[in-house]
Amino acid sequence: MVFYYKARPDAGDYTIFMGADKNENEELIKYGLPEDVWFHVDKVSSAHVYLRLKKGWSIDSICDGLLEDCAQLVKAHSIQGNKMNNVEVVYTPWSNLRKSPSMDVGQVGFHNPRMVRVVIVEKRVNEIINRLNKTRVERRPDLKAEKDASNAAEKAERKVQLKEKRRREEMERMEKERQAEIRSYKGLMVAEKMTSNRQIASAGKSMQEMEDDFV
């Protein structure tokens, strides 16, 4: 079971989601998408909350309101963290999560600790939690199928981009050839004109000589 929430309207159309238990967390870790950002209360047990960004957006694109929604939600779903003030919530791109066979269920590490951000949640804000809970929808998604579909779409997009790149390169090559032909033609015309002038000069000299001879 995965719980889906809608972020505050003024932040845009974003979906926040989390697994119902640690086993669901494993599936979300395994089949996450490049657009996903992972949230967790630091140093204590909590839910794994995810935010799905728009394609091409980075972790630094998250606005303050959207960040607050995610941080409040993950704090509220931590037994210890929910009772604490000034809680540190860590977040990082899904692609930065590291999972090894020796780790416990739901446990993760990071490939690059420098890609981990921290936000301080001063206290629980019930208004935010109540608003998010009103949007909650429970689903049993086929996470693998969603992952495969995303990979296929990304592959198709890369194929289109590669095709467009090759088309531009071919157009540039043809334009360079055309410009080279124009320069070659102009050079040929200049050479022909110079040859013609020399021929006329030569012919003129011969006519003068003929007139001199006649006189």
Side-chain angles (χ1 to χ4, degrees):
M1 184 76 70
V2 178
F3 301 135
Y4 294 86
Y5 303 82
K6 282 293 183 183
R8 59 184 65 189
D10 59 348
D13 186 19
Y14 290 95
T15 297
I16 304 169
F17 56 98
M18 66 180 183
D21 54 41
K22 61 182 181 180
N23 294 312
E24 289 290 348
N25 288 337
E26 286 293 296
E27 294 294 296
L28 291 173
I29 293 168
K30 184 176 181 179
Y31 296 115
L33 301 184
E35 298 81 32
D36 293 343
V37 178
W38 174 89
F39 290 77
H40 195 277
V41 177
D42 196 26
K43 298 182 177 63
V44 298
S45 177
S46 78
H48 293 208
V49 170
Y50 291 84
L51 167 67
R52 181 152 295 168
L53 296 176
K54 302 180 188 300
K55 282 186 177 295
W57 285 45
S58 73
I59 191 171
D60 296 318
S61 305
I62 304 174
C63 68
D64 292 341
L66 190 55
L67 187 62
E68 185 179 26
D69 276 3
C70 296
Q72 282 287 335
L73 187 63
V74 76
K75 171 181 164 58
H77 287 84
S78 169
I79 296 175
Q80 291 176 265
N82 192 42
K83 301 173 183 177
M84 300 163 56
N85 292 331
N86 298 313
V87 171
E88 290 188 354
V89 171
V90 295
Y91 60 106
T92 194
W94 165 82
S95 58
N96 193 40
L97 298 180
R98 178 179 57 82
K99 183 73 180 180
S100 65
S102 62
M103 291 180 174
D104 293 335
V105 175
Q107 184 181 4
V108 297
F110 306 115
H111 293 294
N112 184 358
R114 289 179 296 180
M115 292 180 65
V116 179
R117 305 284 193 273
V118 179
V119 60
I120 305 297
V121 182
E122 183 180 350
K123 62 181 181 180
R124 173 179 171 133
V125 180
N126 288 325
E127 181 183 357
I128 295 176
I129 301 304
N130 292 338
R131 170 174 50 77
L132 289 170
N133 283 335
K134 288 178 182 178
T135 70
R136 192 177 84 169
V137 175
E138 300 179 11
R139 286 182 17 214
R140 296 185 182 276
D142 187 336
L143 296 173
K144 183 179 184 304
E146 289 183 0
K147 176 76 171 180
D148 291 343
S150 176
N151 289 342
E154 187 175 348
K155 183 178 179 181
E157 185 177 350
R158 285 199 303 267
K159 187 176 180 180
V160 170
Q161 291 175 348
L162 180 59
K163 184 177 180 180
E164 176 62 19
K165 179 184 177 182
R166 289 174 176 172
R167 186 190 70 81
R168 289 196 305 267
E169 289 175 346
E170 179 64 15
M171 293 293 291
E172 290 173 0
R173 184 189 65 79
M174 292 175 64
E175 177 62 18
K176 287 179 180 179
E177 289 184 355
R178 189 179 74 86
Q179 292 296 334
E181 288 178 0
I182 291 174
R183 289 192 296 271
S184 177
Y185 177 73
K186 287 181 177 179
L188 179 62
M189 291 294 292
V190 170
E192 289 179 348
K193 184 176 181 181
M194 291 176 64
T195 301
S196 178
N197 288 340
R198 285 196 297 268
Q199 289 173 344
I200 292 172
S202 176
K205 183 179 180 181
S206 298
M207 288 295 292
Q208 184 64 45
E209 291 174 350
M210 290 175 65
E211 289 178 356
D212 291 342
D213 290 343
F214 178 77
V215 172

